[in-house]
Structure formats: C-alpha cells, structure tokens
C-alpha cells in the first residue's frame, strides 16, 4: 500500500516518535524541543496527540545546520570537538 500523501498545500504530519527516528536522538530531546517552541508542534484530538509538520521539522534541521556552520566559521566549535556521538 502506498504511503499517504499530504493534501496540496499541507505538510505531512509526523509523530514525535517519527521525529525522534529522523533526528536519531533520544525522546527526551524531542520533547524538550517541542516544549521550548524550537520545534513547532500541535496537539490533536481528545487525547491531545502531538504532531509535527514535516515542513517544520525540515526548517528546524536546516536552521540547525546553518547555526552550526556559523559557529564553526566563528571558531566557536574547535575542529577537535567534533565527534561521532555529539
């Protein structure tokens, strides 16, 4: 069965677990990003199920890469500080 497609003009909605898998981070970090507002999310339904728009996650990722590049260029992240698990 093909994956569901978002309606024109709408982003696909991701669960927090899907966001965690995409970012390859712990659930606690995803929850912290949502609580802080760094990663926009909405609650839906009577149980308040959390969802993140795919486009918002893409924007968050692009922003993280841009901020990191700026910090490297400014010498704020030394070359020897970059490790596999950071």
């Amino acid at each position: 069965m093909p994956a569901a497609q978002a309606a024109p003009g709408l982003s696909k909605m991701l669960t927090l677990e899907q966001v965690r898998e995409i970012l390859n981070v712990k659930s606690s970090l995803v929850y912290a990003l949502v609580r802080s507002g760094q990663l926009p999310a909405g609650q839906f339904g009577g149980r308040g199920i959390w969802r993140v728009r795919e486009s918002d996650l893409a924007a968050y990722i692009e922003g993280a890469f841009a901020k990191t590049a700026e910090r490297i260029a400014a010498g704020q992240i030394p070359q020897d500080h970059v490790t596999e698990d950071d």
Side-chain angles (χ1 to χ4, degrees), residues 1-48:
M1 178 183 330
Q5 298 262 334
L10 296 176
S11 285
K12 179 179 176 183
M13 302 297 274
L14 303 171
T15 66
L16 296 186
E17 177 62 20
Q18 289 171 315
V19 171
R20 185 200 65 74
E21 289 175 10
I22 291 167
L23 294 177
N24 195 26
V25 297
K26 293 181 180 180
S27 295
S28 58
L29 177 57
V30 175
Y31 297 133
L33 292 171
V34 169
R35 280 193 305 271
S36 71
Q38 293 178 63
L39 180 59
Q43 285 186 291
F44 298 88
R47 294 184 9 219

Side-chain angles (χ1 to χ4, degrees), residues 45-63:
R47 294 184 9 219
I49 298 171
W50 288 95
R51 293 292 184 262
V52 174
R53 287 183 291 228
E54 193 173 52
S55 59
D56 286 333
L57 178 58
Y60 172 79
I61 292 169
E62 288 303 314

